[in-house]
């Protein structure tokens, strides 16, 4: 009994000790003083609060805080030009924690009576410095702001370093305050010295031909130094894909006669790279892909990409061999070969294609000059007609030699995958002639525009227009292969309809005497879409949309309408979109579910 009593007493004592330690630990981490500032506008209050710092956590910190509070309030106000404040303190020691109210009348500010800013040296004739001086945050008559004055000094020195004034210094930097008169005089004299120039570019000549390197180089020896030009040069080299790393180092310690030599170090990319992917699209269903790239085959900068994709609807293989001409990025000759099986409406198609294309980039526009030879065999899908039960059977086969031209341009504001605003344009024209080896003569034109605009922070609109036409002799209409026809329907077209289910229709009779209507595509296309998106959380937005249009033969336009809603989750690689759409123009409207990932363009 005595032993039990002793154990109980010991346990009770231990519990009390633990409770006391827990309360003490909590007390050590709690605020011992809270304070409130009144009488100041938001910028002044925030600056004074920054000078005061966080609330004290111990009695010693509280004592130091109270002793230094007045001085810190004055310093916080003086930093923004207020030298005559009236400050009253009211401290409630009975509250837990203590409460301190600081009432402040900032008084009249000190204003700049004279501001002498000068740029001396070669930078005096540099337009970039003229632009900087025009946008200075302070001028005569303004309230003195010490932080902005220091920022001006920093911006001058920073701009000088970026533009090659490596000997620059602040020759005079002075702030004279006459607090009694509420006036100040500022002097800021920046001496740039000489502007350095680009010197010799030193590199391993086995890495790349001199002509190619010069084409990528946005500067020449003797040009005025600019850090932006170096960064652009490094970016251009990286974009070629030839190198895993690029390092450009200005050697200031070796500058001679105002020229700064540059050391260029290039780290080769892997000889080959392989990518394997698995994906799903509502239109083409499950798919597996493999990409083999050789980023640099030789010193001339040749490269190749081989892409294999398999899905039930659209298995394909494509090889592209790239040959740089006058510029490794902006002028490239592409040799192409492609094998593809596809389903267009109620038709199956086997395509074989070889071609050549020259791609030029100028001022943000991409121009393409192409010539392709297309052999295409097609016929109704094997499930459509009873006698079509042998895989690969085709009714028709034609060959086309198609010279063409295309131009595209994209402009965007904001994120690459979720732009705030932008416009994507694509235009293409192709032709074929019986006199030049094709089985039919035709002219095919196509255009697509996608626009994005935003209102306020959360409201976004996306519009899309597609149009196309094929011009050919009526007697040759049946010779137009499915890949050259136009179809509509699917997640990238009319979202209330099945993939490529809209197009010109023909009626055929099955062996049992039944009639069947087949979608074979149209020689005209006209589509439009308007979508409103609202971002209700940082990474989530809802959407409502309406799509309209048709793929038809000339003179047989029939408007098809679809409406729907969507839920988008924003990711670093684009929005994951879950969309539900209804084909409201049909007699028996159907609902379609679409899942996609990516940006509008």
């Amino acid at each position: 009994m005595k032993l039990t009593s002793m154990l109980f007493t010991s346990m009770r004592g231990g519990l009390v000790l633990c409770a006391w330690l827990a309360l003490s630990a909590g007390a050590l981490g709690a605020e011992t003083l809270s304070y409130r500032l009144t009488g100041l506008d938001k910028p002044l209050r925030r600056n004074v609060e920054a000078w005061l710092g966080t609330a004290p956590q111990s009695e010693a910190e509280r004592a130091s805080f109270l002793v230094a509070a007045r001085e810190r309030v004055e310093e916080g106000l003086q930093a923004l030009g207020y030298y005559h404040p009236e400050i009253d303190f009211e401290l409630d020691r009975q509250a837990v924690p203590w409460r301190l109210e600081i009432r402040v009348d900032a008084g009249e500010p000190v204003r700049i009576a004279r501001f002498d800013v000068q740029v001396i040296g070669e930078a005096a004739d540099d337009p970039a410095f003229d632009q900087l001086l025009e946008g200075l945050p302070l001028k005569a008559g303004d309230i003195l702001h010490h932080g902005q004055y220091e920022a001006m000094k920093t911006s001058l020195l920073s701009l000088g370093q970026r533009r090659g004034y490596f000997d620059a210094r602040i020759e005079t930097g002075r702030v004279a305050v006459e607090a009694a008169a509420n006036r100040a005089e500022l002097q800021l004299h920046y001496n740039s010295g000489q502007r350095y120039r680009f010197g010799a570019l030193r590199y391993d000549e086995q890495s790349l031909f001199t002509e190619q390197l010069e084409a990528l180089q946005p500067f020449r020896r003797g040009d005025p130094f600019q850090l932006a030009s170096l960064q652009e040069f490094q970016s251009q080299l990286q974009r070629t894909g030839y190198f895993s790393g690029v390092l450009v180092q200005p050697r200031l310690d070796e500058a001679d006669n105002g020229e700064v030599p540059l050391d260029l170090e290039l780290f080769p990319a892997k000889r080959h790279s392989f990518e394997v992917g698995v994906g799903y699209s509502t239109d083409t269903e499950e798919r597996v892909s493999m990409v083999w790239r050789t980023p640099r085959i030789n010193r001339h900068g040749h490269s190749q990409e081989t892409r294999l994709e398999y899905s039930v609807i659209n298995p394909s293989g494509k090889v592209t061999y790239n040959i740089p001409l006058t510029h490794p990025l902006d002028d490239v000759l592409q040799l192409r070969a492609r094998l593809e099986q596809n389903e267009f409406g109620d038709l199956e198609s086997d395509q074989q294609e070889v071609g050549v294309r020259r791609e030029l980039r100028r001022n943000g526009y991409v121009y393409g000059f192409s010539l392709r030879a297309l052999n295409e065999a097609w016929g109704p899908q094997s499930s459509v007609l009873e006698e079509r039960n042998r895989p690969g059977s085709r009714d028709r086969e034609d060959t086309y030699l198609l010279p063409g031209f295309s131009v595209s341009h994209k402009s965007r504001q904001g994120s690459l995958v979720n732009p705030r605003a932008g416009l994507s344009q694509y235009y293409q024209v192709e032709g074929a002639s019986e006199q030049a080896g094709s089985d039919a003569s035709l002219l095919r034109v196509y255009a697509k525009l996608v626009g994005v605009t935003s209102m306020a922070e959360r409201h976004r609109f996306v519009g899309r227009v597609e149009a196309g036409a094929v011009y050919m002799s009526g007697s040759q209409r049946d010779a137009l292969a499915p890949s050259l026809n136009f179809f509509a329907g699917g997640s990238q077209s009319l979202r209330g309809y099945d993939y490529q289910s809209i197009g010109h229709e023909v009626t055929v009779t099955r062996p049992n005497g039944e009639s069947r209507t087949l979608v074979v595509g149209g020689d005209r296309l006209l589509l439009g879409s308007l979508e409103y998106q609202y971002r209700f959380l940082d990474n989530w937005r809802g959407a409502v949309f309406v799509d309209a249009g048709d793929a038809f033969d000339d003179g047989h336009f029939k408007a098809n309408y679809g409406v729907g809603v969507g839920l988008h989750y924003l990711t670093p690689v684009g929005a994951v979109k879950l969309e539900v759409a209804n084909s409201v123009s049909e007699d028996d409207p159907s609902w379609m579910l679409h899942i996609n990932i990516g940006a509008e363009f």
Side-chain angles (χ1 to χ4, degrees):
M1 182 72 177
K2 184 176 180 181
L3 177 60
T4 303
S5 176
M6 289 176 63
L7 285 171
F8 175 76
T9 302
S10 175
M11 290 172 62
R12 183 174 63 181
L15 290 171
V16 170
L17 177 61
C18 290
W20 180 83
L21 288 172
L23 290 171
S24 298
L28 288 172
E31 294 181 355
T32 58
L33 175 73
S34 65
Y35 69 87
R36 186 166 72 99
L37 273 168
T38 61
L40 298 176
D41 61 22
K42 189 174 181 179
L44 288 174
R45 185 178 73 252
R46 292 178 63 179
N47 200 61
V48 171
E49 286 174 346
W51 279 83
L52 286 169
T54 58
Q57 304 292 312
S58 67
E59 292 186 2
E61 289 180 3
R62 181 176 65 191
S64 298
F65 185 93
L66 292 172
V67 168
R70 180 178 294 275
E71 182 180 355
R72 289 177 179 174
V73 171
E74 290 175 347
E75 290 173 338
L77 292 170
Q78 288 175 10
L80 300 185
Y82 292 83
Y83 280 73
H84 305 293
E86 293 183 5
I87 307 171
D88 291 322
F89 293 91
E90 183 176 328
L91 179 63
D92 183 358
R93 290 183 172 85
Q94 302 303 315
V96 179
W98 290 7
R99 285 199 297 267
L100 175 64
E101 183 170 351
I102 308 173
R103 293 187 291 270
V104 183
D105 181 355
E108 289 296 317
V110 170
R111 295 188 176 273
I112 302 171
R114 179 172 172 267
F115 191 14
D116 177 22
V117 183
Q118 295 183 31
V119 173
I120 305 167
E122 292 186 12
D125 298 321
D126 190 331
F129 279 86
D130 293 337
Q131 185 177 357
L132 177 64
L133 294 178
E134 289 175 3
L136 290 179
L138 292 178
K139 60 180 181 299
D142 288 349
I143 297 174
L144 175 63
H145 192 302
H146 288 272
Q148 290 181 345
Y149 173 74
E150 293 299 323
M152 287 161 49
K153 292 197 294 186
T154 301
S155 64
L156 283 166
L157 292 170
S158 176
L159 179 61
Q161 289 295 305
R162 297 196 305 270
R163 295 186 65 78
Y165 301 96
F166 299 122
D167 300 328
R169 66 187 186 280
I170 299 296
E171 202 166 72
T172 304
R174 187 174 70 90
V175 178
V177 178
E178 298 179 32
N182 282 332
R183 68 189 301 273
E185 292 187 359
L186 276 64
Q187 276 189 309
L188 184 53
H189 294 177
Y190 169 85
N191 191 336
S192 69
Q194 70 167 331
R195 185 177 187 181
Y196 285 77
R197 301 181 303 280
F198 287 114
L201 181 66
R202 305 182 297 208
Y203 63 98
D204 179 3
E205 295 187 3
Q206 298 301 313
S207 301
L208 205 64
F209 271 162
T210 301
E211 294 80 3
Q212 293 175 316
L213 198 63
E214 289 179 350
L216 293 166
Q217 192 175 327
F219 57 84
R220 293 292 178 264
R221 182 172 184 173
D223 289 349
F225 185 93
Q226 291 190 73
L227 181 60
S229 296
L230 274 188
Q231 293 171 335
E232 181 185 352
F233 182 39
Q234 186 165 337
S235 174
Q236 293 264 75
L237 287 166
Q238 200 74 58
R239 284 175 51 208
T240 62
Y242 301 158
F243 311 105
S244 62
V246 177
L247 183 61
V248 186
Q249 288 184 304
R251 300 308 301 262
L252 295 177
D253 56 328
E254 299 181 31
D256 181 34
N257 196 28
E259 288 191 350
V260 180
L262 307 172
D263 284 345
L264 172 62
E265 193 169 1
L266 301 170
F267 303 91
K270 290 182 179 179
R271 180 76 175 169
H272 303 282
S273 68
F274 298 89
E275 294 178 10
V276 178
V278 178
Y280 177 84
S281 168
T282 309
D283 293 341
T284 57
E285 301 179 1
E286 302 86 356
R287 65 179 180 273
V288 179
S289 63
M290 190 278 287
V291 181
W292 166 36
R293 294 187 179 92
T294 308
R296 193 160 72 104
I297 295 174
N298 51 39
R299 289 181 61 229
H300 300 276
H302 293 196
S303 63
Q304 73 84 27
E305 178 181 287
T306 301
R307 181 180 297 270
L308 302 176
E309 291 190 1
Y310 177 78
S311 71
V312 175
I313 293 176
N314 181 212
S316 65
K318 181 179 179 181
V319 178
T320 304
Y321 190 91
N322 302 298
I323 304 173
L325 298 179
T326 61
H327 192 283
L329 294 173
D330 297 339
D331 186 3
V332 178
L333 186 69
Q334 299 176 335
L335 308 179
R336 299 176 173 183
R338 177 175 65 92
L339 293 175
E340 183 173 341
Q341 292 180 354
N342 210 336
E343 295 181 7
F344 298 92
D346 291 317
L347 301 177
E348 290 181 342
S349 163
D350 296 334
Q351 302 167 47
Q352 303 175 54
E353 179 182 289
V354 294
V356 59
R357 170 183 168 90
R358 183 176 184 180
E359 191 170 280
L360 295 168
R361 298 175 183 271
R362 297 289 185 271
N363 302 317
Y365 285 83
V366 180
Y367 302 93
F369 304 87
S370 62
L371 176 65
R372 62 187 180 117
L374 170 66
N375 175 268
E376 186 163 357
W378 71 91
Q381 295 181 22
S382 57
S383 60
V384 172
L385 299 178
E386 289 179 353
E387 73 272 16
R388 304 286 174 192
N389 54 11
R390 298 192 310 275
S393 62
R394 298 292 182 260
D395 280 345
R396 179 139 192 171
E397 180 176 350
D398 281 311
T399 300
Y400 309 86
L401 187 64
L402 296 157
F405 171 74
S406 67
V407 57
S408 62
H409 180 260
K410 293 180 181 180
S411 61
R412 59 171 62 88
Q413 299 175 23
S415 167
L416 185 67
V417 297
N418 185 35
R420 182 174 63 257
L423 177 64
S424 172
Q425 307 173 67
Y426 178 78
Y427 310 94
Q428 182 190 46
V429 57
E430 286 186 306
S433 173
E434 291 179 289
Q435 285 71 38
S438 295
D439 289 335
S441 298
L442 62 92
L443 176 67
R444 188 179 192 271
V445 295
Y446 173 76
K448 181 177 181 178
L449 291 88
V450 180
V452 176
T453 186
S454 299
M455 298 178 62
E457 184 179 353
R458 298 183 178 272
H459 305 275
R460 193 167 181 261
F461 293 88
V462 179
R464 173 172 51 87
V465 175
E466 283 187 77
V470 179
Y471 301 96
M472 61 190 309
S473 169
S475 62
Q476 294 184 314
R477 176 66 181 88
D478 293 340
L480 188 62
S483 68
L484 299 175
N485 269 293
F486 296 105
F487 295 82
S491 62
Q492 304 299 313
S493 180
L494 300 179
R495 284 167 280 189
Y497 300 82
D498 282 326
Y499 177 57
Q500 294 190 344
S501 63
I502 298 174
H504 179 62
E505 298 177 349
V506 298
T507 301
V508 298
T509 302
R510 303 174 69 172
N512 60 9
E514 293 180 359
S515 295
R516 177 69 185 266
T517 299
L518 304 182
V519 176
V520 297
D523 59 18
R524 300 289 189 275
L525 177 70
L526 184 60
L527 297 174
S529 175
L530 182 61
E531 181 169 330
Y532 165 70
Q533 302 170 351
Y534 175 73
R535 184 164 57 84
F536 55 89
L537 292 174
D538 286 346
N539 293 320
W540 290 92
R541 69 185 178 212
V544 294
F545 55 83
V546 57
D547 303 328
D550 192 19
F552 57 100
D553 267 13
D554 186 23
H556 296 85
F557 176 80
K558 176 187 174 183
N560 300 275
Y561 300 98
V563 297
V565 297
L567 182 64
H568 302 175
Y569 177 65
L570 307 181
T571 76
V573 295
V576 179
K577 302 176 182 179
L578 177 66
E579 297 173 328
V580 179
N582 184 267
S583 53
V584 295
S585 61
E586 289 188 332
D587 295 334
D588 183 17
S590 60
W591 289 94
M592 299 296 299
L593 174 66
H594 300 288
I595 301 173
N596 284 290
I597 182 170
E600 284 77 16
F601 51 85

